[in-house]
Amino acid sequence: MSGAAPRAPSPARSAEPVLAVRDLERSYTLGAETVHAVRGVTFDVPDGEWVSIVGPSGCGKSTMLNLLGAIDRPSAGKVLVRGRDVGAMPDREATRFRLLHVGFVFQRFYLMPVLSAEENVELPMAEARVPRVERRARASELLSYVGLGARQQHRPSQLSGGEQQRVAVARALANRPALLLADEPTGELDARTGAGIISLFEQLNRDGTTIVVVTHDEQLAQAAQRVIHMRDGLIVKDERLRSR
Amino acid sequence: MRHRARTVLAVLGVAVSAALLLDMVMLSTGMRESFRDFLMVRGYQLRVAPKGTLPFDTEATIGGAAEVERAIVAVPDVIAVSPVLGAQVHVIGAASEGAAFALGVRGAVQADFELVRGHTVAGADTAVANAEFLALAGARVGDTVDVAAGFDPQLRIHSGRRRLVLGGEGRFFYTSAGQPAIALPLSTLQQMGGAERADRVSLVMARVRDGADVESARLALERSVPRVTAISVETALRQVDERLSYFRQLAFILGAISLGVGFLLVTTLVTVSVNERVGEFAVLRAIGVARGRVVQQVLLEGLAISLAGALLGLVLGVGTAQYLNVILSDFPGLPTGFAFFVFRPAAAWASLGMLFITGVLAGALPAWRAAGLPIGVTLRQEAVA
């Protein structure tokens, strides 16, 4: 990994929480049944904190992550990212907000197979109309940061699973988001490769990135400063493992 | 495109469909254009035939031809006339005896053939023959042939015999493919026919000054010579249009089917492609790529397949049309110069335009689906899958 960390994600730390969740609810109908996936959840994530959300399958973790990232809309309550209510945003605005303020990492990496690693990282910047020279330089910097400086021109099919996930992390950081959201980022990786991604997240967090991770991976969860345990759509335990 | 074999097959399918479409567009306009081309080959816009007939539709002739010709020349805006007498002649001796179609023309103004080699009709006993006539008579350019205007099969006597020097070989515009034909001076053919054909013509072609109103000249001509019917090229084309409407309808239906097939091919391929990549599209949307961009990407894929197929289909369509023209040129009774499929850049542009629109429409449904995927649900399903 390159030592020249770009301190990509976060601006100067603020007293205001990056993420504030208030009485958040999400229900949906499944046939004749109404499923309450998230049932009145409240918590804050301060600037620069790494929070893991854990719990059994179906407890509402992924639904929660989608709500935090303006992918889904709450049935009630609020999600404030840097003070902006993302749940109330119309679709176009929410899309733009995700582009500029939220970084996503998914279990399956979903890189564009016809693009090189560098082009994949450039994609969100191109969408944000960052000038070509600038985005190329930043893509190169980010790929070096995640340890892929020598593989910038490789296509996803030429990279290992761990390397692809690193490219996905670099892509998530492209537009300097306020918040990095990750859904089972080690879910498709073996233990050794997963450990590499955990190290990368640790490095990101040390460099100031605010991270919320949803995971079943005990090792990943324990690497965070704080673990939120969910069950049946509720927070059952909010555990601080270490201070920032 | 990630699945090359599948994409190539789809492009080939679209190419076949595009070729059929182009051929149908060429067919729907080609016969008319071809007809116009050979009617206007020497620029004569009017055909004058015996009253109530179409040129060479019957064996009727116009009597008092010299007087009629003078009257036509006197019509305002008429600048040239070309009288023609058509008749059957018999080739005597030589390799084989047989009948041929003879055209009595005036060499300097004729519009019935183009010279392939040799000299045009000039002296009283000179003639221009087509390749079929030369084969029938077993003669070559420069040879002399005996022809007769009439033949009595019972008495086996020829009448109106004439010895002609074959001054040249020509390609006749209006004779059927394979029909032996010979052009000789009008006066010679009239003389060969005796009193029956004296001062008679089958048809007079008239050319109107550039910029003049052809229809006005036609009406003036019919007023001046009431015992003839004058038909303009435009009128003839209208009549051809009516007679060929069946072909146009057929071409329209087949063209529409080929477009439909192309549309279904592209839609199917793009839909399959989108279905395989729902996760990718959901992630693109999740990371902030706008719906419009996703729509644009999918539409471009459909368009790329359509246009690649269209370009290949253009080549295929022109090749097929040429092949079909060769086959159909042997159709009985069709003039040599007539073609069913005529390539015009406008036809190619029209086909490309239709395929462009088809490509956009074909990509629209999968594009709409890709852009409208519920992001969270799709990602969850993909993760489970």
Side-chain angles (χ1 to χ4, degrees), chain A residues 115 117-143 152 170-171 173-176, chain B residues 293:
Chain A
L115 303 181
E118 184 182 55
E119 288 163 341
N120 267 286
V121 178
E122 280 185 51
L123 195 70
M125 292 187 273
E127 185 69 13
R129 301 187 188 283
V130 174
R132 189 183 173 81
V133 175
E134 191 182 326
R135 66 179 192 243
R136 184 134 293 189
R138 174 140 177 92
S140 179
E141 184 185 28
L142 283 168
L143 283 169
Q152 298 185 14
R171 179 178 68 184
L173 299 174
N175 285 327
R176 298 179 171 86
Chain B
R293 184 84 65 191

Side-chain angles (χ1 to χ4, degrees), chain A residues 185-213:
Chain A
T186 57
E188 296 240 330
L189 305 174
D190 59 44
R192 190 163 154 266
T193 316
I197 294 298
I198 293 168
S199 300
L200 176 59
F201 273 62
E202 284 169 340
Q203 181 189 345
L204 281 171
N205 184 238
R206 271 199 307 275
D207 290 338
T209 308
T210 309
I211 303 172
V212 176
V213 178

Side-chain angles (χ1 to χ4, degrees), chain A residues 80-151:
Chain A
L80 304 167
V81 177
R82 288 220 185 277
R84 293 183 64 187
D85 186 355
V86 298
M89 288 177 182
D91 181 72
R92 190 184 290 258
E93 193 184 338
T95 302
R96 190 77 187 158
F97 188 83
R98 289 196 299 270
L99 178 70
L100 299 177
H101 302 289
V102 184
F104 281 99
V105 177
F106 301 96
Q107 179 176 346
R108 299 174 79 175
F109 329 116
Y110 288 120
L111 300 175
M112 299 302 120
V114 293
L115 303 181
S116 67
E118 184 182 55
E119 288 163 341
N120 267 286
V121 178
E122 280 185 51
L123 195 70
M125 292 187 273
E127 185 69 13
R129 301 187 188 283
V130 174
R132 189 183 173 81
V133 175
E134 191 182 326
R135 66 179 192 243
R136 184 134 293 189
R138 174 140 177 92
S140 179
E141 184 185 28
L142 283 168
L143 283 169
S144 297
Y145 180 72
V146 299
L148 292 175
R151 315 210 68 175

Side-chain angles (χ1 to χ4, degrees), chain B residues 86-101:
Chain B
Q88 196 84 344
V89 294
H90 298 267
V91 184
I92 305 166
S96 59
E97 289 197 10
F101 185 66

Side-chain angles (χ1 to χ4, degrees), chain A residues 17-26 38-45 63-64 66-70 72-89 97 179 235:
Chain A
V18 171
L19 178 67
V21 178
R22 297 285 176 270
D23 304 318
L24 190 65
E25 290 180 23
R26 180 67 172 103
V38 178
R39 302 193 290 176
V41 167
T42 296
F43 65 92
D44 287 346
V45 177
T63 304
M64 168 85 87
N66 290 342
L67 292 167
L68 303 185
D72 199 359
R73 284 165 189 276
S75 307
K78 283 183 177 180
V79 175
L80 304 167
V81 177
R82 288 220 185 277
R84 293 183 64 187
D85 186 355
V86 298
M89 288 177 182
F97 188 83
L179 183 62
I235 294 177

Side-chain angles (χ1 to χ4, degrees), chain B residues 27 31 34 38 132 171-179 247 320-341:
Chain B
L27 180 66
M31 284 183 286
S34 174
F38 79 72
E132 289 80 2
R171 191 175 72 84
F172 287 65
F173 305 127
Y174 306 116
T175 55
S176 311
Q179 184 181 28
F247 271 95
T320 311
Q322 281 176 351
Y323 177 67
L324 288 172
N325 266 338
V326 170
I327 293 175
L328 292 168
S329 65
D330 290 336
F331 203 79
L334 272 186
T336 319
F338 188 82
F340 281 82
F341 301 88

Side-chain angles (χ1 to χ4, degrees), chain B residues 15 18-19 22-23 309-322 343:
Chain B
L22 176 66
D23 284 349
L311 292 175
L312 199 60
L314 204 65
V315 178
L316 194 64
V318 170
T320 311
Q322 281 176 351
F343 179 81

